[in-house]
Amino acid sequence: MIAGRPTWAEIDLDAIAHNLKVVRDRCKADVQVLGVVKADAYGHGAVSIAHALARAGVERLGVASIAEALELRQAGITLPIVVLAGNYHRAERLLQQNRLQPVIFRHEVLDALEASIDPGEDPLAVHVKVDTGMGRLGCAPEELPDLVARIQRSPAFQLAGVMSHFARADEVGQQTRQQFESFTECLGPSDWQGAVRHCANSAAIFADSAYHLDMVRPGLCLYGVDPYDEASSGQLQPVLSWWTRINTIRTLPEGSAVGYGGRWVSRRPTRLGILPVGYADGYPWAGEGRAEVVIRNRRVPVVGAISMDMTAVDLTDLDGVEELDPVALLGGPSDRAVRADELCRWSGRLVYELLCSIGPRVTRVYKAGGLAQVGAPDLRVVLP
Ligand SMILES: Cc1ncc(COP(=O)(O)O)c(C=O)c1O
């Protein structure tokens, strides 16, 4: 923990393994799982999560960039890693050197990749992406046969997969079905000779087993968040809880304004707790006036503006609270726990955004098998 600033996130690696099993149980036995660990594993710490997923038997990992993949390779992760980027801009050689599997969808990118591979080297495993309606990366469905033929002709490449990505799998409606039909139509009945066909993110995994094909690509659900209401019928376990300790307690007279803008004014003599967490840590500024935390098993309101490094809470109705008492910002004990969807509702945030925004000042503490370990030991010291 950063000395004197006890604000940390507890990450339950057993829950990661449990959630992977929930995904497996949804799928047929021969369906592979690619665990999405991009954006530092949605803020959970990519290296620790990748090790946990590897131990739990995931077949591949997915990241957003070569740099993210290199971090995992340097940490000793040997699993196949798919780089979901589409274009590699003069870093192509790193893909071959580190046995990374790029996603491609354009001949120009294949040209650059081919040029980066020396004759006699192992072929580079690539995944071709088809745009069936997301409108970001991917070839048009009719371009797929030509790209595949080229990959299969070239000794530089091995076709590892053919993929697409859903835009609205968490919504009720026909859009996902239409995307899927467009994908399966262009895949045709052909035998893909070991190349995996994949399109399902978390929401699609729970929505319909037809979407699983040969491999699924869960992100959010591995981190214990239902991709839509009741998707997992309560089977997923929360992975991350976020904590701090009260830094200072002071009593202010009635009529005192608290925080930037002075928008909250005490209506009674108020015992105020100042928490060492703010928007620089990812605690949402927009939660002012709505957010709550849990102290001594009670919900306590955040008052005044959430500032960069500090947040104030009203402790007046709580007996016996002391400085250094623990405070749950997300999660926490029992039925009072702050749910991710609540914090999102209070702050107008997307749950993905909330998790990814928990900043580097928040020490990650990993728990597995009843043991805890503080992550990233760099400049930090562990408080007793
Ligand atoms: C290509 C791709 N596949 C899978 C995922 C995982 O999505 P989710 O976190 O909704 O499961 C993502 C995440 O954005 C993605 O970009």
Side-chain angles (χ1 to χ4, degrees):
M1 225 137 301
I2 292 177
R5 196 163 193 277
T7 299
W8 73 101
E10 284 181 14
I11 292 152
D12 182 348
L13 298 177
D14 296 331
I16 288 275
H18 168 88
N19 296 336
L20 176 62
K21 182 158 183 324
V22 172
V23 170
R24 287 246 185 254
D25 290 347
R26 286 264 159 176
C27 301
K28 289 211 216 97
D30 57 351
V31 173
Q32 295 185 24
V33 180
L34 175 154
V36 178
V37 294
K38 61 184 183 165
D40 205 24
Y42 294 35
H44 293 66
V47 168
S48 303
I49 298 296
H51 278 300
L53 288 172
R55 278 195 302 274
V58 87
E59 279 85 4
R60 295 174 213 234
L61 297 168
V63 296
S65 66
I66 293 177
E68 288 184 350
L70 294 186
E71 186 193 3
L72 299 181
R73 285 283 181 260
Q74 277 153 16
I77 298 289
T78 56
L79 282 172
I81 301 177
V82 178
V83 185
L84 301 162
N87 206 346
Y88 302 94
H89 300 294
R90 294 193 285 278
E92 289 85 4
R93 184 76 192 135
L94 291 170
L95 294 163
Q96 171 72 355
Q97 285 171 336
N98 294 281
R99 293 167 293 100
L100 309 178
Q101 303 186 356
V103 170
I104 59 96
F105 63 96
R106 289 210 312 229
H107 282 288
E108 299 88 305
V109 176
L110 283 172
D111 292 343
L113 289 173
E114 210 160 26
S116 77
I117 295 165
D118 292 333
E121 279 187 322
D122 285 343
L124 182 69
V126 299
H127 296 248
V128 185
K129 186 165 191 176
V130 186
D131 181 8
T132 55
M134 174 63 113
R136 300 186 311 193
L137 304 180
C139 65
E142 59 275 16
E143 293 170 335
L144 180 66
D146 191 38
L147 282 163
V148 166
R150 169 171 178 189
I151 290 164
Q152 287 175 330
R153 262 195 326 268
S154 169
F157 299 126
Q158 180 222 334
L159 183 66
V162 186
M163 64 182 284
S164 192
H165 192 43
F166 294 128
R168 293 157 65 169
D170 55 342
E171 293 175 17
V172 179
Q174 281 307 306
Q175 224 261 349
T176 305
R177 174 75 41 208
Q178 281 160 7
Q179 275 197 260
F180 183 66
E181 281 167 8
S182 153
F183 186 45
T184 47
E185 197 177 311
C186 77
L187 289 172
S190 72
D191 173 8
W192 285 91
Q193 297 168 1
V196 288
R197 301 161 304 159
H198 51 107
C199 58
N201 63 343
S202 298
I205 291 167
F206 290 97
D208 189 339
S209 61
Y211 300 149
H212 298 171
L213 298 175
D214 304 317
M215 182 166 82
V216 294
R217 301 192 307 261
L220 192 66
C221 67
L222 294 178
Y223 306 108
V225 180
D226 267 310
Y228 54 86
D229 267 356
E230 286 301 302
S232 75
S233 315
Q235 284 183 289
L236 297 172
Q237 289 177 358
V239 172
L240 184 145
S241 56
W242 189 4
W243 298 85
T244 188
R245 289 181 186 275
I246 300 172
N247 174 286
T248 299
I249 297 179
R250 44 194 303 247
T251 302
L252 299 183
E254 183 185 339
S256 304
V258 171
Y260 288 112
R263 287 181 290 276
W264 189 87
V265 179
S266 58
R267 294 207 187 112
R268 57 182 175 170
T270 297
R271 249 159 75 82
L272 210 63
I274 306 299
L275 312 181
V277 66
Y279 59 75
D281 304 292
Y283 196 66
W285 176 84
E288 175 180 348
R290 287 177 292 273
E292 295 172 357
V293 300
V294 182
I295 301 173
R296 298 203 172 206
N297 222 20
R298 296 256 318 258
R299 287 289 182 109
V300 174
V302 166
V303 294
I306 291 160
S307 33
M308 187 182 288
D309 317 302
M310 278 180 249
T311 297
V313 292
D314 183 352
L315 303 172
T316 318
D317 295 328
L318 232 59
D319 290 332
V321 195
E322 291 172 9
E323 289 178 0
L324 280 182
D325 271 3
V327 180
L329 305 163
L330 175 62
S334 80
D335 55 345
R336 301 290 153 93
V338 176
R339 296 189 318 274
D341 64 285
E342 286 183 290
L343 196 44
C344 288
R345 185 159 41 79
W346 295 330
S347 57
R349 276 196 162 172
L350 192 68
V351 69
Y352 294 86
E353 186 195 357
L354 176 76
L355 294 174
C356 292
S357 310
I358 299 176
R361 290 197 306 198
V362 179
T363 303
R364 270 55 170 183
V365 178
Y366 295 93
K367 294 189 149 181
L371 296 173
Q373 182 190 315
V374 176
D378 48 358
L379 291 176
R380 292 155 188 180
V381 293
V382 183
L383 289 179

